[in-house]
Amino acid sequence: MTPLTLNHYLLASGLLFSIGFAGVLLRRNIITIFMCLELMLNAANLSLVSFSRFHVGPDGLPNYNAQVLVFFIITVAAAEVAVGLAIIVALYRARQTTHVEDIRSLRF
Amino acid sequence: MSPILFWILTILMLSFGASVVINRNPVASALSLVASFLCLASLFVGLDAFFIGVIQVLVYAGAVMVLFLFIIMLLDLKAENRRHFNKGALAGGALVTVGFVSQFLRVLESFKAGSKPFPALGAARIEDVRSVGNALFTDFTLPFQVVGVLVLVATIGVIVLSRRELK
């Protein structure tokens, strides 16, 4: 079997991103759309971590700047999930639906 | 990481990711998402990013998914009944996705620098918690504090949003 290259990981990351992308475009349930957004964020994390491992510095360690960026992405994503789910709950209280096609007007 | 393990984990991760999109029941989607995140965490560990792998399991597969499941059960969502699909939107979404994947594959094919195997690590041992923490508190102090403010703002925002009466 051929050894693993950076492109293998980038392929996995890109395919995961496209699955999330397809979910955002095709699904109509707002919570599922939100979960697909999380998939896309994690695909970006996978490519960052593989780039980090690919660039071994002179001290023989991976480049940790990418991992710090992943740390920030995870923190921001957690905050985003909390705010987004609070908005979904407020929307559900006002409209009793989580179906995006039922939510058409800007103000209500 | 051995190639066989990589392929098994990747296929598992992608198929659980696809089942997030395919499942009609939101609880099943959320549980597939947890499984997909666990496979992703093991890929991180295979890339010698142990700290990120642990954070992935704790924050994503733990905290974030508990929040998702909590909200799904709070809203008492049933499995989506089969609605009449908007054929045009469905075809458009599929078309955009296929276009994206084909473009992505072409870019990957022409990316020659990435077709080399991973270089071996020279260090005797990896102390990645120490290294990430070091970078966090020296080079990235300002972004770290900005993220702290962001989390505070998000907390206050969630409390304001989830009050009964929005003024």
Side-chain angles (χ1 to χ4, degrees), chain A residues 25-43:
Chain A
L25 288 178
L26 298 176
R27 292 304 303 265
R28 289 287 165 266
N29 186 337
I30 200 161
I31 289 191
T32 315
I33 290 178
F34 212 48
M35 287 194 251
C36 293
L37 282 178
E38 295 304 309
L39 273 186
M40 289 160 81
L41 279 169
N42 276 285

Side-chain angles (χ1 to χ4, degrees), chain A residues 20-72:
Chain A
F21 188 52
V24 170
L25 288 178
L26 298 176
R27 292 304 303 265
R28 289 287 165 266
N29 186 337
I30 200 161
I31 289 191
T32 315
I33 290 178
F34 212 48
M35 287 194 251
C36 293
L37 282 178
E38 295 304 309
L39 273 186
M40 289 160 81
L41 279 169
N42 276 285
N45 283 350
L46 178 57
S47 67
L48 277 171
V49 172
S50 55
F51 274 117
S52 150
R53 179 62 184 76
F54 194 65
H55 286 268
V56 175
D59 53 354
L61 286 172
N63 188 340
Y64 281 107
N65 288 356
Q67 298 197 12
V68 172
L69 186 54
V70 171
F71 177 82
F72 284 140

Side-chain angles (χ1 to χ4, degrees), chain A residues 1-94 96-102 104, chain B residues 1-4 6-7 10 13-15 17-18 20-24 26 29-30 33 36-37 40 43-44 46-52 55-56 59-60 64-65 67-68 71-72 74-78 80 83-86 89-94 96-97 100-101 104-105 108 111-123 125-128 131-132 135-136 139-140 143-144 147 150-151 154 157-158 161-164 166:
Chain A
M1 227 172 193
T2 55
L4 289 175
T5 65
L6 178 61
N7 276 350
H8 286 102
Y9 280 93
L10 293 185
L11 178 70
S13 154
L15 289 180
L16 190 64
F17 186 90
S18 5
I19 288 172
F21 188 52
V24 170
L25 288 178
L26 298 176
R27 292 304 303 265
R28 289 287 165 266
N29 186 337
I30 200 161
I31 289 191
T32 315
I33 290 178
F34 212 48
M35 287 194 251
C36 293
L37 282 178
E38 295 304 309
L39 273 186
M40 289 160 81
L41 279 169
N42 276 285
N45 283 350
L46 178 57
S47 67
L48 277 171
V49 172
S50 55
F51 274 117
S52 150
R53 179 62 184 76
F54 194 65
H55 286 268
V56 175
D59 53 354
L61 286 172
N63 188 340
Y64 281 107
N65 288 356
Q67 298 197 12
V68 172
L69 186 54
V70 171
F71 177 82
F72 284 140
I73 291 177
I74 290 178
T75 318
V76 172
E80 173 231 332
V81 166
V83 174
L85 286 176
I87 292 176
I88 290 174
V89 170
L91 190 69
Y92 190 81
R93 280 200 194 125
Q96 277 77 45
T97 182
T98 56
H99 206 266
V100 287
E101 282 173 354
D102 296 339
R104 289 165 180 269
Chain B
M1 185 177 220
S2 83
I4 301 169
F6 167 79
W7 286 115
T10 304
M13 177 184 78
L14 291 178
S15 44
V20 172
V21 178
I22 293 166
N23 264 318
R24 299 193 151 267
S29 283
L33 196 59
S36 181
F37 283 167
L40 189 60
L43 280 181
F44 286 162
L47 284 166
D48 300 315
F50 305 104
F51 176 61
I52 298 297
I55 289 283
Q56 175 82 15
V59 175
Y60 263 117
V64 167
M65 294 320 298
L67 204 58
F68 263 108
I71 296 298
I72 289 170
L74 181 76
L75 299 187
D76 195 21
L77 298 177
K78 299 283 182 290
E80 245 176 289
R83 291 193 169 225
H84 59 284
F85 273 111
N86 189 344
L90 212 61
V96 170
T97 308
F100 176 81
V101 172
F104 165 73
L105 289 179
L108 205 60
F111 184 52
K112 290 284 175 272
S115 53
K116 289 198 287 278
F118 284 93
L121 290 180
R125 49 186 294 187
I126 304 170
E127 297 180 316
D128 63 340
S131 307
V132 169
L136 210 56
D139 296 344
F140 298 96
F144 187 61
V147 163
L150 176 86
V151 172
V158 167
L161 271 173
S162 54
R163 279 191 315 190
R164 270 286 159 194
L166 282 176

